[in-house]
Amino acid sequence: MTLRIGISARLLHNPPPGLGLPSKRMQFLESGMAQWIMSHGVVALMIPFIDQRAPRLRKRPPLHDLVEQLDGLVLQGGIDISPQTYGAQPWQDKAEYDPIRDEYELELLRGFIDADKPVLGVCRGCQLLNVYFGGTLIQDIPTQWPGAVAHTDTVRYDRLVHEVHFMPGSRLAGIYGYEPRRVTSIHHQCADKLGKGMALEARSPIDLVPEGLRHTGHPFVVGVQWHPEFHLNGGAEDVLDSGPLMMAFLKAAARRAGHLRRLAHEVALVRNRIG
């Protein structure tokens, strides 16, 4: 069967009037993310956000059924995670957050992790993995991480790159080897205290800012700070090929799906014998 990968939605609570829905919340998927996943011969499906506090909601969305129908979860990048989620105060008065998206994605994470299905977090998604397991975040690298190199640039945006080093024995080193690689850098936050079971997978070699994380208690729960979907096949800036990372994620999804199908077949055989 073709693998089906769920992608968390980005939320736009106040869309510009020109989009034709000035007072409606919108959900969207960055096209590069869909292309990155589906170019490997699988189906990518954005998982809609359903406001469970809406007055006309007839039934609670069936999270268990949703997780059961999908083989893995990819968490998109986006707006900063609310510091209240990990028990901190905002680093500045005008900082912007989306606690609604936080709650939505944390519930998705719970469903996929409880089912032991693979999860891949990108940028914000990497940070959310750390928060889910009880970790905290550096809210602003330029002001809170002394000696940090530039990790974000409003002018160069996805053309800002720097090297990452993969940690010895890490899952990412197993995918890419130990040679330093160049990646996109579009983040001003990163992991601080690691969550329970989380391990450092990659870091920036000059300032040691965390660039990749993994949970050691699950077959594939991995987060990266860079945007693999922005540099397919290496890209023009000679950055890390995103293909091997996606293939490792999909192989984990295929193994899990095969295991579940075998279990279902065995249960069916037992029921037939009993019947």
Side-chain angles (χ1 to χ4, degrees), residues 42-121:
V42 301
V43 174
L45 301 167
M46 190 182 78
I47 303 172
F49 162 74
I50 304 298
D51 191 347
Q52 299 181 22
R53 290 164 291 194
R56 295 184 180 180
L57 186 67
R58 296 184 178 181
K59 292 184 179 180
R60 183 179 177 85
L63 178 64
H64 176 269
D65 292 343
L66 187 152
V67 173
E68 192 175 64
Q69 296 300 315
L70 297 171
D71 300 303
L73 173 67
V74 176
L75 298 167
Q76 293 193 79
I79 194 168
D80 293 347
I81 298 165
S82 171
Q84 293 181 348
T85 308
Y86 48 94
Q89 295 298 315
W91 70 285
Q92 65 174 11
D93 292 339
K94 295 183 179 180
E96 295 185 0
Y97 308 107
D98 187 352
I100 293 176
R101 181 178 173 185
D102 296 344
E103 183 179 339
Y104 148 72
E105 287 190 313
L106 286 168
E107 184 177 26
L108 285 181
L109 260 179
R110 178 177 58 81
F112 279 86
I113 288 173
D114 285 352
D116 212 20
K117 292 191 175 184
V119 177
L120 177 59

